[in-house]
Amino acid sequence: MNGTVLLAFAVVTTLVVAALAAVWARTRRVVTTPAERAVHATLHTASLAARPLRRGLDASSATEAAPHLRMLLAEAQAVALVDVDGTLLAWDGPFESLAHRMHGAAARAVAEGRRVLVGHRDLAPGPRDLAARALIAQPLVIEGVGVAGVLGVVTTTTPGPALLGAITEVARYACSQLELAELDASRARLDRAELRALRAQISPHFIYNALNTVASFVRTDPDRARELLLDFADFTRYSFRATGEYTLLAEELRNIDRYLTLERARFGNALEVRLQVAPEVLNVTLPFLALQPLVENAVRHGIAGTPTRTGTITITAADEGTDCVISVEDDGVGMDPELLRSGTLDSIAESEHGSGVKESAHVGLANVDDRLRAAFGNDYGLVVETAPGAGTKVSMRVPKFRAGIRP
C-alpha cells in the first residue's frame, strides 16, 4: 500500500514539474521574441561602440568602435572613420583599396558639412573591388564644435532610403558619444584651470607670512629656521606639483602638517591643532588641494580674525560606511548663519574680515565645493555650520571608492 502511494506521488510530482517546465518554456519564448533579441543585440552593440568613442576620436578609439558601428549597419560591407584633417583612423571590412576614394569623399564632407555619396561609376574600383556599388561619407557634426570627423561606409548594393537613414542615425549616435567626450575633456580642462587658480590664490599671502616667520628665526634660532625652510620647500613642492588632479588623504594631511608647522611657528602657543583621523580612511582619494583651503580658512579667519588671535583648530576624518567624512572646525568668531541661506558660498565671503582676504578665501572654498561636486556628484559638496561667536565647521563627504578616480 505504501509503495503504491509513493509511486502515485512520484507520478503526480513528475507531471507537475513537467507542466511547470512547459509553462516556463512558453513564458520564456514569449518574453524573448526574435524582435526583442534583435533590440537587445543592437543596444549591446551600440554600448560597445560608445565606450571607445567616449574617449574622443583618435586611431585607438576608432579602431575599437569601427567593428561595432559596422554591425549596426547591416547593409554595410565596410566602415571607416576619418578625422577632420582627412587622416584615415580605422577601416573595418573589405575594399580597403578604396581608402583613397574615402579620403576624397571625407574631405568634401568636412568642407561642405553634408553627406557625400560616390556611386559605382565614379568609384572606378579595381578588379577586386567590382562588387562595391557605392561609398558614403557622413560628417560627424558636434553642436558648438563643428565637424569632428567622418563616418565612411562601403556597400555592395545601391543605397536606398533605409540604408541612408540608418547611416544618419548611427552617425548621430556616434556624435552624441563624441559630444560627451568633448564635455568630459572640457570639464577636465576646467578642473585643471580651477586647480591652477586655487594654487595662485593660496600661495601669495602664505609665502609672504612663511618667509617672514623663517626670517624671524634666522638669528635667534638658526636650526629651527632651517627646519622651517625645509618644511616650506616641501609644502610648495607638493602644492605646485604638475601631475595628478587627485591625491590620497594621507598625502593631503602630510602637506597640511607642514603648513600648520609654519603657522604654529608664526602664532606660537596661540594656535592649538587637534587631529582625529581614522586609520582606515588614509587611503581615500580626494581632489588635490581639497583640504588645504579649509584649514587655511580656519587659521586666517577663525584664529587670526579673533581679537585675541588665539584658538583651536580640529581636523577629523571619520569612517562612515561607504563614505569618509572630513571636517575642519575652529572656535573663532564664526558668522551669521542667515548668510548661508542663499545656498552658495558667496555669502561666506561677505562675512569675512578684510576685502582682499575675504575674496580669496571665498574663491578657495567655492573652488573646492565645485570640484567635489564635479568629481563625485551634488551629494558631495561642502557643508558649513557656523554662528556668531561659535566658530565655523566646514565638512566634506568623500566616497571611499569611485570608479575612474584615482591619485
Side-chain angles (χ1 to χ4, degrees), residues 26-44:
R26 287 197 301 273
T27 304
R28 180 173 179 270
R29 284 195 295 270
V30 170
V31 171
T32 57
T33 64
E36 289 173 332
R37 287 196 294 272
V39 170
H40 295 163
T42 301
L43 291 174
H44 178 64

Side-chain angles (χ1 to χ4, degrees), residues 145 179-193:
V145 176
E179 187 171 1
L180 290 173
E182 177 63 25
L183 288 174
D184 290 341
S186 297
R187 188 176 72 176
R189 289 192 294 269
L190 179 61
D191 288 345
R192 288 192 292 271

Side-chain angles (χ1 to χ4, degrees), residues 69-385:
L69 296 177
R70 182 184 172 195
M71 289 183 65
L72 291 174
L73 296 167
E75 295 184 46
Q77 272 62 54
V79 161
L81 285 169
V82 183
D83 70 11
V84 71
D85 296 322
T87 302
L88 181 65
L89 301 176
W91 186 287
D92 185 73
F95 308 118
E96 196 165 356
S97 61
L98 296 176
H100 67 291
R101 295 291 181 187
M102 183 66 72
H103 175 82
R108 285 179 53 198
V110 170
E112 299 173 12
R114 62 177 181 84
R115 177 196 300 146
V116 172
L117 192 152
V118 182
H120 180 75
R121 180 178 301 176
D122 297 323
L123 277 179
R128 292 179 301 173
D129 303 323
L130 289 175
R133 303 301 300 175
L135 182 151
I136 303 106
Q138 178 75 39
L140 301 174
V141 183
I142 300 177
E143 185 176 355
V145 176
V147 179
V150 174
L151 170 66
V153 174
V154 178
T155 177
T156 55
T157 60
T158 301
L163 176 58
L164 295 177
I167 292 173
T168 299
E169 293 304 319
V170 169
R172 184 177 291 125
Y173 177 75
C175 287
S176 68
Q177 303 308 311
L178 294 175
E179 187 171 1
L180 290 173
E182 177 63 25
L183 288 174
D184 290 341
S186 297
R187 188 176 72 176
R189 289 192 294 269
L190 179 61
D191 288 345
R192 288 192 292 271
E194 288 179 341
L195 185 54
R196 288 193 296 269
L198 184 59
R199 285 168 171 155
Q201 294 151 16
I202 292 173
S203 304
H205 75 277
F206 175 70
I207 290 175
Y208 175 81
N209 290 332
L211 291 178
N212 272 345
T213 301
V214 172
S216 69
F217 286 102
V218 168
R219 290 187 179 180
T220 59
D221 194 343
D223 289 339
R224 190 175 186 193
R226 180 178 179 277
E227 292 174 0
L228 291 174
L229 197 58
L230 291 175
D231 283 329
F232 175 74
D234 289 338
F235 173 85
T236 54
R237 184 181 300 112
Y238 175 83
S239 299
F240 289 96
R241 73 179 192 183
T243 58
E245 296 178 22
Y246 298 93
T247 188
L248 296 177
L249 175 60
E251 293 295 325
E252 196 82 348
L253 289 172
R254 188 174 293 113
N255 200 54
I256 285 171
D257 180 63
R258 300 180 189 117
Y259 167 80
L260 289 173
T261 297
L262 290 160
E263 291 294 65
R264 279 193 294 262
R266 175 187 169 198
F267 288 106
N269 295 329
L271 175 60
E272 181 182 352
V273 179
R274 298 173 183 172
L275 193 64
Q276 303 170 1
V277 178
E280 57 269 25
V281 300
L282 286 173
N283 287 328
V284 166
T285 300
L286 67 162
F288 182 61
L289 290 182
L291 197 52
Q292 167 69 25
L294 277 60
V295 176
E296 188 172 5
N297 191 63
V299 172
R300 292 169 62 195
H301 306 289
I303 307 305
T306 62
T308 59
R309 295 176 66 84
T310 62
T312 301
I313 293 176
T314 302
I315 303 172
T316 63
D319 183 355
E320 292 198 4
T322 59
D323 292 338
C324 167
V325 176
I326 307 167
S327 64
V328 177
E329 184 174 6
D330 66 70
D331 58 357
V333 295
M335 68 185 74
D336 187 348
E338 291 290 331
L339 295 176
L340 298 176
R341 293 192 176 179
S342 64
T344 69
L345 289 171
D346 292 343
S347 55
I348 297 178
E350 298 302 325
S351 68
E352 303 294 355
H353 302 282
S355 59
V357 174
K358 73 181 181 183
E359 179 61 23
S360 62
H362 150 59
V363 176
L365 292 180
N367 188 309
V368 172
D369 184 67
D370 290 342
R371 293 170 63 216
L372 286 170
R373 294 176 188 276
F376 305 122
N378 286 330
D379 294 333
Y380 292 95
L382 293 182
V383 176
V384 182
E385 303 170 59

